[in-house]
Amino acid sequence: MPKILFTASTYSHIVQFHRPYLSAFRALGWTVDVACGGAPMEIPEAHRTIHLDFEKQMLSPRNGRALRQLRRTMRETAYDVVSCHTALASFFTRLAVNGGKQRPKVVCMVHGYLFGENNPAAKGLILQAAEKLVASRTDLLMTMNRWDTQYAAAHRLGKKMVEIPGVGLDPSRLPPISREEASALRRQWGIEETDTLLLYAAEFSGRKSQQVLLRALAQLPLQVKLALPGQGALLEECVALARSLGIEQRVIFPGQVARMAQWYGAADIAVSASRSEGLPFNIMEAMYYGLPVVASAVKGHTDLLVPDTCGLLYPYGDWQACAAQLQKLLQSPEERERMGRQGRQSVGVYCLDQVLPIIMAQYEALIPLRDETITHT
């Protein structure tokens, strides 16, 4: 049986984005292994799950141990394909691949380079150097937005490069929400019928920049509320900022939410303040539920949101411009409805039934997926 190894920094990444692809390879008769770090989670589609001791700090000794474990795993199991995801795991996975002729084909999916645009320059130089170091071991590089595609092509970061429409939004995980369900959630959190609810579901990290939205909210009418589902290192800092701005009664911190569908159903406008993205699911999900979007004008967002069509953009970090764009939508319910409708119509090309065949075709172009006698090259 042909064999493939998927790697990522966290179990949650594989669970959230790649289970349909594990299933697709299994259906074709492949042995499917997964190697990842973080909090362990069940991945029933994998034949075997290998825990790696990854840590977000690139030079952590734990990553050295993960590198050695990856090398040992690849040496013991002759994989035909290695598919790597997330910046940290992708680097160490490709570093672990034997550089000789007898090695697996290596596929790297870029979920958003963490350099360029508004990202810190010093960190960016390190990450750029890391990508160049392992470019020769990247047989297929899949990017998700124009900026990443152009950068990868200019710096030859893969032997073959292709832009894909994300990993596929799965409508089966996004059930319709009735008015009754949406109203019940709003009542539970003290949101009046006359309130306008903004929604931004994201990890509380420097890259996600929730502080921008809090400062923008302070400039908006009292009837505007903001929901910030998620956990992360900067959660308490954001809670303190909301308090210092005098808007703590208008901000909802519900923590980690397992079922986001209810929140999309309850919200009026989706917002984002992210510093950079690949092709963000939270924006696509909002579009799927017919919400207009106000987001920072960064890669990923600019690919999904055609200005004045299904959303409005503002310069990253500019909370005054963010507030001004939100004010436009607050003053025009008709415009909100039009943008929501446009978003719902345009998101179809990013849905799983459209995207999965595109991505599997890229694997097929690299190596026969249905050939039981695959030879390493």
Side-chain angles (χ1 to χ4, degrees):
M1 294 175 65
K3 296 178 280 293
I4 185 169
L5 174 68
F6 279 76
T7 68
S9 300
T10 62
Y11 287 78
S12 60
H13 179 88
I14 294 291
V15 169
Q16 185 174 1
F17 299 116
H18 301 291
R19 290 178 63 183
Y21 297 92
L22 306 184
S23 294
F25 275 100
R26 285 196 65 150
L28 292 170
W30 285 59
T31 295
V32 179
D33 290 350
V34 172
C36 46
M41 299 175 69
E42 289 292 326
I43 307 177
E45 295 82 4
H47 288 95
R48 180 172 61 140
T49 301
I50 303 153
H51 183 79
L52 300 174
D53 200 20
F54 278 131
E55 186 172 339
K56 285 189 176 181
Q57 298 296 325
M58 181 75 79
L59 300 180
S60 167
R62 290 169 55 181
N63 293 330
R65 291 195 293 270
L67 172 64
R68 291 190 292 274
Q69 189 176 359
L70 278 166
R71 282 179 175 158
R72 184 168 60 251
T73 299
M74 292 183 200
R75 188 169 58 246
E76 294 170 353
T77 305
Y79 292 106
D80 298 281
V81 178
V82 173
S83 182
C84 52
H85 307 268
T86 67
L88 182 74
S90 289
F91 171 70
F92 284 103
T93 299
R94 287 176 288 174
L95 202 61
V97 171
N98 186 321
K101 293 183 178 179
Q102 296 297 320
R103 68 166 180 83
K105 294 290 187 181
V106 177
V107 178
C108 177
M109 185 177 287
V110 180
H111 296 263
Y113 284 130
L114 300 177
F115 50 77
E117 285 202 322
N118 304 290
N119 289 290
K123 180 180 179 182
L125 290 174
I126 296 172
L127 295 175
Q128 289 170 42
E131 289 296 324
K132 291 177 182 177
L133 179 65
V134 294
S136 63
R137 302 181 187 186
T138 308
D139 298 295
L140 172 62
L141 187 77
M142 292 190 273
T143 56
M144 299 184 187
N145 62 59
R146 288 187 299 274
W147 193 96
D148 287 349
T149 301
Q150 291 167 2
Y151 183 90
H155 295 272
R156 300 179 182 178
L157 296 184
K159 295 178 181 178
K160 178 185 178 183
M161 289 167 276
V162 63
E163 185 173 327
I164 57 172
V167 293
L169 189 67
D170 188 355
S172 69
R173 298 170 62 179
L174 301 170
I177 300 299
S178 68
R179 287 178 177 271
E180 291 74 18
E181 287 180 281
S183 296
L185 184 67
R186 288 172 71 102
R187 286 195 301 271
Q188 177 186 344
W189 291 94
I191 305 162
E192 304 291 339
E193 287 187 14
T194 54
D195 289 339
T196 299
L197 179 61
L198 313 179
L199 175 65
Y200 182 38
E203 176 190 10
F204 283 85
S205 67
R207 183 166 69 91
K208 295 301 184 178
S209 308
Q210 282 90 345
Q211 299 92 333
V212 173
L213 298 177
L214 293 170
R215 295 185 185 280
L217 181 67
Q219 301 185 33
L220 295 172
L222 296 178
Q223 291 77 22
V224 181
K225 306 289 178 65
L226 172 64
L228 296 173
Q231 297 283 0
L234 299 184
L235 172 58
E236 291 307 316
E237 179 181 312
C238 287
V239 171
L241 178 60
R243 190 179 304 115
S244 69
L245 291 170
I247 57 171
E248 67 271 24
Q249 299 302 317
R250 299 166 58 198
V251 185
I252 300 165
F253 296 98
Q256 199 66 35
V257 172
R259 190 167 180 256
M260 277 301 301
Q262 284 183 304
W263 284 96
Y264 288 118
D268 299 292
I269 301 172
V271 289
S272 176
S274 184
R275 186 170 63 216
S276 69
E277 291 290 345
L279 205 63
F281 259 39
N282 63 335
I283 300 296
M284 287 190 277
E285 290 173 347
M287 292 165 63
Y288 183 85
Y289 278 100
L291 294 177
V293 182
V294 173
S296 48
V298 299
K299 63 180 183 177
H301 290 168
T302 54
D303 293 79
L304 288 172
L305 301 174
V306 177
D308 300 318
T309 301
C310 53
L312 299 175
L313 299 167
Y314 64 91
Y316 168 73
D318 189 338
W319 62 82
Q320 293 178 325
C322 176
Q325 294 290 58
L326 284 165
Q327 196 69 258
K328 291 180 184 178
L329 293 187
L330 293 173
Q331 293 169 356
S332 178
E334 297 80 10
E335 192 70 353
R336 297 205 316 248
E337 184 178 346
R338 182 187 67 81
M339 287 187 173
R341 187 168 57 248
Q342 290 271 16
R344 184 71 175 87
Q345 292 170 355
S346 63
V347 79
V349 296
Y350 301 105
C351 286
L352 187 62
D353 63 339
Q354 301 293 313
V355 176
L356 190 145
I358 293 172
I359 292 177
M360 295 303 290
Q362 293 302 323
Y363 282 107
E364 180 74 54
L366 185 68
I367 190 169
L369 298 186
R370 296 169 177 81
D371 188 347
E372 295 182 1
T373 58
I374 295 175
T375 303
H376 291 274
T377 58

